[in-house]
Amino acid sequence: MARSPVQQDPIEYPYEEWLNMPSELSVQIHLTFLASVIFAVAFILGLRHTRRLVASPEGLSSPDAGSMGLGSRILVLSATALCLALLLWRVIAAGKPSLPMTNHLDAFLFLSLLLTGMLVYFRWTRHLGGLAFFLLPMIAVLLSLGATLAILNGADYQYTNHWARLHILTVVAGSVCFALGCVGGIVYLLAHRQLKHKGLDASHHWIGLPPLASIEKFNRIMIYLGFPLLTVAMITGALRLTQDPQTLHAPWFASPKVITAILAWAVYALLIHVPLAPAIRGQRAAWLSILGFVLFLTAFVAVVWMK
Amino acid sequence: MQSLNRESLRLLMVGLNHRTAPLHVRETMAFTPDQIREALSRFKTSYPRAESVILSTCNRVEMYIARPLHEEPTPEQLAKFMGEFHALPSEQFQSHLYHHEDRAMIEHLFRVTSSLDSVVVGETQILSQVKQAYQQACDAESVSKIFHTLFQRALAAAKDVHDSTNLSAGRLSVASVAVDLTRSIFDRFDDKTVLCIGAGKMASLMLRHLSGLAPRRLLLANRSLERAEKLAAEFHGEAAGLDVLDQLMIDADIILTSTGSADPIITASRFKAILKPRRYRPVIIVDIAVPRDVESAVGELNNVYLYNVDDLQEVAAGNRQKRDKEISASHDRLAVHVEEFLRWYAARDVGPLVKALYDHCHAVARAELDEYCAHHPELNAAGRQDLERLSHRLISKLLHGPVTQITHNAEVTARPMLASALKRLFSLTSEEPPEGSHQL
């Protein structure tokens, strides 16, 4: 597969030409979907495992209660190995010993692997164990999204200048932080709901949910790490635009990518001010971190509509 | 202490517990650690060939012994020993005593250690109490191989039961459920402030649990400042009157209320007004007062987690039900451990018999060999050695099957019968028949 970091006329793979796509990329997309399905099945198996523990009188508070079950673990390992193999394949196909970051498939594969690494870390250290569990559907969704985007718009990223390179790098790094923040927000809302609705018969621990304060702290750290990266991504994106105004194919104020990116930045800007505006802490902050990630993801993938 | 190995033993225990004896009787029969040392020492002087362990907790006083089968003490002598130690006339406690022998004693000890005989089934304190009793007996050198194995296996079995059945899962008291909930919200307590409103008995009990979290500050508010100060002195807290309650609630992260007030003292409007000065910090409010001190609408406020006594009792009741369901599984699990110990015990009991059997066969072989050599003077030393090796191999191969059967494979109850048959068939004369096994 021909690939160049600077490509003025990117090869596009419109949806109707899906079958005519280069066979190598087509197989990679299929395998990415497969990895996504495996992660999803691992989540379902893990959920069933914990539900079985909940249903039985034993096991609710056992050390095993927060575990995902053997089947789920095996599937996670298999899917991770598959993603790793795919990324290596892309490295080898690129013909240079550097991380391939040429299109959405690369970006989402890399992002998913980073999140899987976090999952392994959480499970290994048993720190914030419940977060690990909810990373599984997030990874499955991101992989499917990457594969779908590769079908809808397989255009390679256009590294027309150094700002473009820095832009992509900060976007991917920021997305790891925001994805984790989003998962933290979901877990916070779940734990909050259980505590408020007095589902107290040990159900709070059935997926090993950490204390609310720990989740809140974790979310804050993710936002503090992600916000500067997003800011750099916005600035480098703007600088890139000044050098190559055609990138957006539309005026910046009419570009969905720019609009959603600005909205995401605004949400995260609000979130980093929680210590100054404590009225939004807790449940509201959790909702905002989910909203922020959805907006950020939209901005990330908005290139699909930039034609 | 003199070794009892290879002797048939009688395992015996005498004691009383919360079911058989009222508190005042248990109190008079209880042993302090010093008294346990003294009692074990005296017992060893009176019965030097017996192993002994004394278990004394607030709910039970039990003495376990292992002694040679036909020796003393009897259960009556053991009860007398305990009474004399405490200088109590036997009529004061005799009717409250129970005793178990051999298999029943082993089962009882395993049940006690696993907390299946406790007031609160699933509590783990008894495990450390049995461990301590065993350790005290070790220090007093009043245990030998049988009790080392018995108590170590009882402790291991209890751990296994707790680990594999969740017998001890879930909290059973309102106070400990409240502590668990607090842990679900906060991850650290060295920067937290606990506020207790009310200074009654329940408040004191709850504070005892909450102070285990080692909070940074402990505030006590009560209508009567004097009572608050008394409780504050006990828990190293700060006392205050109810007139500054709003300020105290602003500072607090964990609020415990237990007043006798007929009307709610924390209303939704009152608490809503302090949310901003609190900077919307999460707060857990545990209301154990009846009638309630906190309006239920307070629980709907942002970052406020409110639990009343019914909420907590519901959790405790659920946990209790779950434990009850675990009891049957725990008994099954325990039975496996008891059988394992009995197998070891029975194998140890037939040990001398097996040795006697081998000795007998080797003696017969040696005699036959001597006679053969006497009739064949041409046989040199090397030839005799060959014949000796041959006879050894033959004996080993012939006896391997029956010996394995009697020591490992046969049912525990069948072993005495097999042992008896072996003795008769081979006219073996071990010093004691393995009668102890019959008792098991």
Side-chain angles (χ1 to χ4, degrees), chain B residues 268-288:
Chain B
S269 55
R270 184 178 190 178
F271 207 84
K272 198 173 180 181
I274 62 163
L275 284 181
K276 199 174 175 186
R278 285 182 51 80
R279 298 184 62 77
Y280 299 91
R281 287 186 346 265
V283 59
I284 177 168
I285 305 176
V286 179
D287 179 7
I288 52 169

Side-chain angles (χ1 to χ4, degrees), chain B residues 41-291:
Chain B
S41 167
R42 274 199 224 171
F43 187 81
K44 205 164 80 174
T45 309
S46 305
Y47 307 102
R49 278 162 61 80
E51 298 182 54
S52 54
V53 172
I54 295 173
L55 172 65
S56 180
T57 73
C58 54
N59 287 318
R60 67 181 67 246
V61 180
E62 292 175 340
M63 191 159 177
Y64 295 84
I65 67 156
R67 53 135 168 99
L69 187 62
H70 298 300
E71 293 188 12
E72 292 180 333
T74 60
E76 292 73 28
Q77 286 172 318
L78 202 52
K80 193 175 165 202
F81 172 84
M82 290 167 78
E84 281 177 356
F85 185 87
H86 291 294
L88 288 173
S90 64
E91 60 270 18
Q92 269 193 24
F93 62 90
Q94 196 76 38
S95 60
H96 303 291
L97 288 176
Y98 50 83
H99 83 273
H100 297 295
E101 290 182 16
D102 299 322
R103 185 185 187 115
M105 179 272 225
I106 295 164
E107 287 173 341
H108 177 78
L109 174 64
F110 276 53
R111 263 200 318 276
V112 167
T113 313
S114 307
S115 81
L116 289 169
D117 202 50
S118 297
V119 178
V120 179
V121 173
E123 54 106 358
T124 49
Q125 200 186 1
I126 187 68
L127 190 64
S128 52
Q129 286 167 332
V130 172
K131 201 173 188 177
Q132 195 183 2
Y134 166 59
Q135 193 54 53
Q136 283 166 333
C138 288
D139 294 343
E141 295 180 350
S142 69
V143 287
S144 190
K145 189 174 179 183
I146 296 295
F147 268 14
H148 278 310
T149 309
L150 176 64
F151 277 83
Q152 284 168 14
R153 290 203 182 196
L155 292 165
K159 278 181 192 157
D160 179 50
V161 165
H162 285 296
D163 289 346
S164 59
T165 64
N166 255 17
L167 188 68
S168 48
R171 306 289 184 178
L172 295 184
S173 74
V174 163
S176 46
V177 168
V179 170
D180 265 7
L181 279 168
T182 309
R183 284 203 179 102
S184 296
I185 292 166
F186 301 115
D187 55 348
R188 54 183 292 191
F189 296 93
D190 55 356
D191 60 348
K192 298 291 180 294
T193 299
V194 174
L195 166 65
C196 178
I197 307 169
K201 269 187 182 174
M202 274 305 283
S204 170
L205 182 72
M206 292 287 283
L207 274 179
R208 213 174 299 284
H209 279 78
L210 285 172
S211 59
L213 297 171
R216 186 173 62 92
R217 279 178 83 195
L218 190 59
L219 309 172
L220 287 120
N222 195 46
R223 204 172 299 278
S224 151
L225 190 59
E226 193 187 339
R227 286 186 71 182
E229 279 170 346
K230 201 176 160 193
L231 203 59
E234 191 184 337
F235 291 100
H236 309 292
E238 303 161 34
L242 289 181
D243 50 325
V244 289
L245 186 59
D246 282 357
Q247 185 52 49
L248 297 177
M249 287 197 294
I250 289 169
D251 294 341
D253 301 288
I254 300 156
I255 299 176
L256 169 69
T257 67
S258 170
T259 74
S261 169
D263 299 312
I265 54 169
I266 305 177
T267 60
S269 55
R270 184 178 190 178
F271 207 84
K272 198 173 180 181
I274 62 163
L275 284 181
K276 199 174 175 186
R278 285 182 51 80
R279 298 184 62 77
Y280 299 91
R281 287 186 346 265
V283 59
I284 177 168
I285 305 176
V286 179
D287 179 7
I288 52 169
V290 178

